[in-house]
Amino acid sequence: MKSNQSGMIKPYSSQFSFIARVIDSLLIVVAVFIVACINDIDISFPGNIWLAGIGGSLIFQLIAEFSSLYGSWRAGKLRTEIKQIISCWVLAFLFCLAITILFVDLSLPNVSEFMLQWFPIGLVVLISWRVTLRLFLRLIRRKGFNSRTAAIVGTGALAQVVANRLSKSEWTGYKIHGYFDDRQKDKALTDVCRRSAGFDDVECESIGSFDSLVEKAESGELDCVFIALPMRAELRISQLLDRLANSTATVYVVPDLFVFELMHARSLDLDGVPAVSLIGDPINGWNGSLKRAEDIILSTLILSLIALPMMLIAMAIKLTSKGPVFFKQLRYGMDGKSIHVWKFRSMSVMENGDDFVQATKGDARITPVGAFLRRTSLDELPQFINVLQGQMSIVGPRPHAVSHNEEFRGKIKGYMRRHKIKPGITGWAQVNGWRGETDTLEKMEKRVEHDIQYIQAWSLWWDLKIIFSTVFKGFINPNAY
């Protein structure tokens, strides 16, 4: 039987998740009291300080639940967990800030200073304890505590990929016990396999059989089994799963899907029948709710800040050229459905639909005020209304003209995949310089390439990074005409 030290935390995993929630909540309250002490604010109970701390904790917990922050992070990287914490805290703080702006007099003493100091102090304490916990777990796992003994079923390329990932991620505490494959049983464990997995102390010098694997699993020698067989081996996989059902080992089936170009692969339970989407909705479920919350909070804050500049822009447009202030362009939105995108009018014409001609350098249709608006992207500001309406997102692929969609969908592979999420005011392509005129196929290909990269690896942290980049380098671009 395996040593008890290997699983000293496993029986209490749910309790540790609860403890993590409690510590996060307490630290947010602690951050409030630190700020209160710095600014000599009254901390008597009951009081506004207590309300801010408890309210901030509850909002953080709600957002953290949406983003699965309190799931198992054994196989997750520290930087990914930190990004998740930052994303949750930024959204929670913005929500608290919005409430403060709406219901609290900002001219009151210490209110502004409190909000400005609470954010960084709260972020520091939340990240610090997570980093400390990770370092502690890494230390005890290196000493053999809280580890997991893993077996790999298969000896092909997929099995070697799994072994390589496990061995490189020693902080996860997974210890590779060996390879098992009935069709390769009793063969010597080759140097290639050893090097790919990065271990020399494998208990079995040869590849074990399924009988040996099941015996070890039932005896408690194995914590988990990674089945890494090709898709054509479904019968062998099914039979092995039936045999392993009598053990307490956790069994993972690693899908042999590397041959496909995955688009946020997700699982689906069809009344007990699992299915994996190879091309599906990249941002749905809790992620969709989280992104929508981000859009509502940020667009509300931004619109409150830009209301006056928008009024001045509207006056400038009305006084310098004939025509309406706003221009609604027909575009394709999520799932290819038509939407009308709001913009400040920057041209003397109102072209739309199939007769749309993209603006070029020195275009005579652009008004003097319109040239400035387009160059600085200020003509896009009304699209925050589209965001509040739920038709667009702050970050996402830029919506193209209908005529461009019909032209390029047959020329660029995967072009319409960019419509699997809501179009955005800014995006990964835009902050990397792929905006403005797309007069060549190559330019459009690069834009689509960046859009697909964003969709495939979306995260709330990446959204915040793109928004930050847009503020400093995304508004003014020489390619915007």
Side-chain angles (χ1 to χ4, degrees):
M1 295 290 287
K2 63 187 177 185
S3 171
N4 289 334
Q5 70 179 17
S6 66
M8 67 177 190
I9 293 179
K10 186 177 181 180
Y12 309 103
S13 56
S14 60
Q15 289 91 330
F16 272 89
S17 176
F18 173 75
I19 292 172
R21 295 172 187 270
V22 172
I23 293 176
D24 281 342
S25 299
L26 289 177
L27 288 176
I28 291 173
V29 176
V30 168
V32 168
F33 279 93
I34 292 174
V35 177
C37 292
I38 292 174
N39 294 276
D40 196 24
I41 300 175
D42 181 20
I43 59 173
S44 59
F45 181 84
N48 292 331
I49 290 299
W50 286 91
L51 183 62
I54 295 172
S57 298
L58 291 174
I59 294 170
F60 180 85
Q61 289 296 323
L62 180 62
I63 295 172
E65 185 66 29
F66 285 166
S67 64
S68 302
L69 178 63
Y70 297 108
S72 174
W73 283 97
R74 174 178 287 273
K77 294 182 178 179
L78 175 59
R79 65 172 177 268
T80 305
E81 185 177 6
I82 290 176
K83 288 179 180 179
Q84 194 88 316
I85 293 169
I86 294 174
S87 300
C88 292
W89 178 237
V90 167
L91 276 181
F93 176 78
L94 288 174
F95 195 92
C96 292
L97 181 61
I99 294 175
T100 302
I101 292 174
L102 291 174
F103 299 107
V104 180
D105 186 356
L106 296 179
S107 64
L108 292 175
N110 299 321
V111 172
S112 300
E113 292 84 352
F114 173 82
M115 297 304 293
L116 288 175
Q117 294 173 17
W118 186 30
F119 174 75
I121 292 176
L123 188 61
V124 168
V125 295
L126 286 170
I127 291 177
S128 296
W129 99 263
R130 292 277 181 159
V131 172
T132 303
L133 177 63
R134 282 290 192 121
L135 293 175
F136 171 72
L137 290 175
R138 180 174 296 187
L139 176 64
I140 65 173
R141 284 167 182 168
R142 284 179 176 174
K143 294 182 178 295
F145 294 90
N146 192 229
S147 61
R148 298 287 184 270
T149 303
I152 299 175
V153 177
T155 55
L158 182 62
Q160 293 184 27
V161 168
V162 172
N164 184 262
R165 298 289 174 85
L166 291 178
S167 62
K168 285 184 176 179
S169 306
E170 62 176 13
W171 41 268
T172 63
Y174 285 111
K175 305 296 183 183
I176 301 176
H177 187 81
Y179 290 95
F180 297 83
D181 191 335
D182 254 2
R183 296 186 178 180
Q184 304 290 330
K185 63 181 179 180
D186 300 328
K187 288 187 177 180
L189 194 60
T190 65
D191 290 338
V192 173
C193 290
R194 289 183 181 278
R195 285 197 301 270
S196 69
F199 58 89
D200 296 315
D201 56 347
V202 182
E203 292 185 15
C204 48
E205 292 296 332
S206 61
I207 299 167
S209 65
F210 285 176
D211 289 337
S212 175
L213 171 69
V214 173
E215 181 183 344
K216 290 176 181 293
E218 290 181 345
S219 68
E221 293 182 52
L222 302 175
D223 287 301
C224 53
V225 177
F226 292 90
I227 300 179
L229 295 172
M231 294 179 68
R232 61 181 178 273
E234 66 274 8
L235 180 59
R236 297 169 64 205
I237 294 173
S238 177
Q239 292 173 344
L240 182 58
L241 286 173
D242 287 340
R243 299 182 64 186
L244 290 171
N246 291 324
S247 74
T248 58
T250 302
V251 182
Y252 300 93
V253 177
V254 183
D256 186 17
L257 300 175
F258 293 110
V259 295
F260 300 105
E261 183 182 350
L262 302 183
M263 174 71 84
H264 267 259
R266 297 179 185 275
S267 61
L268 177 68
D269 190 329
L270 299 173
D271 194 20
V273 179
V276 177
S277 66
L278 303 184
I279 302 175
D281 299 329
I283 307 173
N284 61 5
W286 292 123
N287 283 339
S289 300
L290 194 62
K291 187 168 176 62
R292 182 60 183 148
E294 169 200 356
D295 285 336
I296 293 174
I297 294 171
L298 291 180
S299 59
T300 300
L301 288 174
I302 292 171
L303 281 171
S304 65
L305 294 173
I306 65 175
L308 180 57
M310 286 181 66
M311 290 178 60
L312 296 176
I313 291 172
M315 291 175 59
I317 293 172
K318 201 65 179 175
L319 294 173
T320 57
S321 62
K322 296 180 179 180
V325 171
F326 297 107
F327 173 42
K328 292 192 293 184
Q329 290 182 313
L330 182 65
R331 293 286 189 267
Y332 283 154
M334 187 174 177
D335 293 327
K337 296 178 181 178
S338 298
I339 62 172
H340 285 92
V341 175
W342 288 73
K343 297 183 71 173
F344 280 124
R345 181 177 59 82
S346 59
M347 290 186 174
S348 57
V349 296
M350 302 284 284
E351 295 174 347
N352 211 340
D354 294 335
D355 60 349
F356 175 79
V357 179
Q358 191 174 29
T360 58
K361 189 174 184 178
D363 199 316
R365 300 171 298 167
I366 301 176
T367 65
V369 171
F372 171 75
L373 295 178
R374 296 173 73 93
R375 190 166 58 251
T376 56
S377 298
L378 293 177
D379 61 323
E380 314 284 358
L381 293 183
Q383 287 168 30
F384 285 101
I385 299 174
N386 288 107
V387 175
L388 277 181
Q389 292 174 335
Q391 299 172 333
M392 293 180 64
S393 180
I394 293 178
V395 181
R398 286 294 297 153
H400 293 162
V402 172
S403 59
H404 283 171
N405 273 18
E406 299 306 320
E407 175 186 357
F408 290 110
R409 67 188 302 174
K411 296 180 180 180
I412 301 176
K413 180 182 177 182
Y415 178 87
M416 291 302 290
R417 290 189 181 185
R418 61 196 307 277
H419 292 288
K420 294 302 294 182
I421 66 173
K422 294 178 184 178
I425 296 176
T426 185
W428 183 236
Q430 283 63 49
V431 297
N432 280 279
W434 299 104
R435 57 168 296 194
E437 186 180 9
T438 50
D439 53 346
T440 65
L441 182 63
E442 181 184 5
K443 289 181 179 180
M444 184 61 82
E445 286 176 337
K446 295 301 292 184
R447 181 182 290 189
V448 173
E449 176 186 328
H450 282 76
D451 289 340
I452 299 300
Q453 286 176 359
Y454 168 77
I455 294 172
Q456 288 178 327
W458 175 86
S459 69
L460 191 59
W461 168 257
W462 203 354
D463 270 5
L464 298 175
K465 176 182 177 180
I466 291 172
I467 293 171
F468 183 82
S469 298
T470 301
V471 172
F472 288 95
K473 66 178 183 180
F475 285 113
I476 300 177
N477 191 290
N479 296 325
Y481 307 133

